[in-house]
Amino acid sequence: QGISCMDLAKEAAFRGVQELDDDDMVGVIAFDSQAQWVVEMTKIGGNVDSIGESIGTIQAGGGTSILPALRMACTKLADTDTKIKHIILLTDGQAEQEGYSGLLSQAREDGITISTIAVGQGADAKLLQYIAEEGGGRYYFADQFASLPEIFVYETTVASKDYLNNEDFYPLAVDSSEITENINSVPMLHGYVSTTAKGRADVILESDKEEPVLAAWQYGLGRTAAWTS
């Protein structure tokens, strides 16, 4: 018997929880036509197993109503004392088309960001793209259910770290490359966006925190590069 989309979604959520630090907090809301807290907002430290057990109790239901769940999450986060306030919204269905503008505007005022994951062709990709754009987060499309845990881990990692580094530094040469051929010195940079190099990437320049600033890799028959200054 194959693994259901719901099973993979639960695994993805738990894998995301495992990426968080002990002092981080997490809450989980399940929604179909109704929304309910599966995990009340709680610290990660000492609670990973119980959080996983609670996530495991989620059952598939009928209908998709995003607004009440999003409102519950935003209301709770607005009252939570934490530096980063982030929501990951995952759904495989269609939902209300209107009523988001005021909620998303309030979320921005409260310092809350929202990323969305559309699962399969049945998800309302246009709506989820809109929510992520207005919510200051990222949008993902998972056409293969099996990619859900990987997406969740990546998004949790990106969202839970302060990835904008506004500091002066000189990038350090790591690998030789045609890109930097005949360049003997580099200027000071005033900041960069934290990223993780792809497994097959050649990191050419890195920051003083050993994170990639310039990386290149093979893509199909061509080459591509990322410059994170």
Side-chain angles (χ1 to χ4, degrees):
Q1 187 178 356
I3 299 174
S4 70
C5 175
M6 176 58 76
D7 288 336
L8 281 166
K10 290 191 284 189
E11 181 192 342
F14 185 56
R15 291 262 298 273
V17 166
Q18 290 174 309
E19 292 297 309
L20 297 171
D21 295 332
D22 284 353
D23 289 334
D24 290 334
M25 300 184 74
V26 70
V28 180
I29 297 173
F31 63 94
D32 39 37
S33 56
Q34 305 287 325
Q36 62 177 2
W37 285 98
V38 174
V39 177
E40 292 282 352
M41 195 68 73
T42 185
K43 270 198 172 185
I44 295 292
N47 295 310
V48 172
D49 289 342
S50 61
I51 291 168
E53 288 171 8
S54 296
I55 290 172
T57 66
I58 299 173
Q59 300 293 319
T64 305
S65 187
I66 290 175
L67 262 175
L70 202 54
R71 190 173 289 114
M72 283 170 66
C74 287
T75 300
K76 176 63 74 173
L77 279 177
D79 292 335
T80 302
D81 183 17
T82 183
K83 181 182 176 185
I84 298 172
K85 302 181 179 187
H86 188 64
I87 295 168
I88 304 175
L89 169 65
L90 181 152
T91 181
D92 63 353
Q94 305 282 320
E96 308 92 344
Q97 296 297 303
E98 297 178 348
Y100 297 92
S101 179
L103 180 60
L104 294 172
S105 176
Q106 184 62 49
R108 286 195 299 272
E109 281 187 33
D110 293 331
I112 299 168
T113 52
I114 306 166
S115 288
T116 60
I117 305 173
V119 184
Q121 299 295 336
D124 192 336
K126 188 175 180 182
L127 172 63
L128 294 174
Q129 282 176 300
Y130 162 75
I131 293 173
E133 189 174 315
E134 292 295 308
R138 290 154 295 279
Y139 163 77
Y140 304 88
F141 175 66
D143 56 344
Q144 300 291 327
F145 294 160
S147 65
L148 268 179
E150 184 181 336
I151 291 172
F152 229 89
V153 167
Y154 174 80
E155 169 60 20
T156 306
T157 303
V158 170
S160 63
K161 71 190 293 187
D162 195 356
Y163 56 90
L164 294 178
N165 292 278
N166 295 308
E167 58 182 38
D168 295 340
F169 71 100
Y170 286 98
L172 307 170
V174 181
D175 288 339
S176 58
S177 167
E178 293 176 16
I179 299 173
T180 52
E181 215 169 85
N182 300 321
I183 295 177
N184 299 316
S185 64
V186 292
M188 177 183 283
L189 299 181
H190 302 298
Y192 71 101
V193 179
S194 287
T195 58
T196 303
K198 288 179 175 289
R200 302 186 309 277
D202 300 319
V203 177
I204 301 161
L205 298 174
E206 68 179 15
S207 74
D208 52 344
K209 295 178 181 176
E210 298 184 349
E211 293 181 313
V213 174
L214 177 62
W217 62 97
Q218 193 76 23
Y219 188 82
L221 297 176
R223 296 280 287 169
T224 188
W227 168 247
T228 67
S229 164

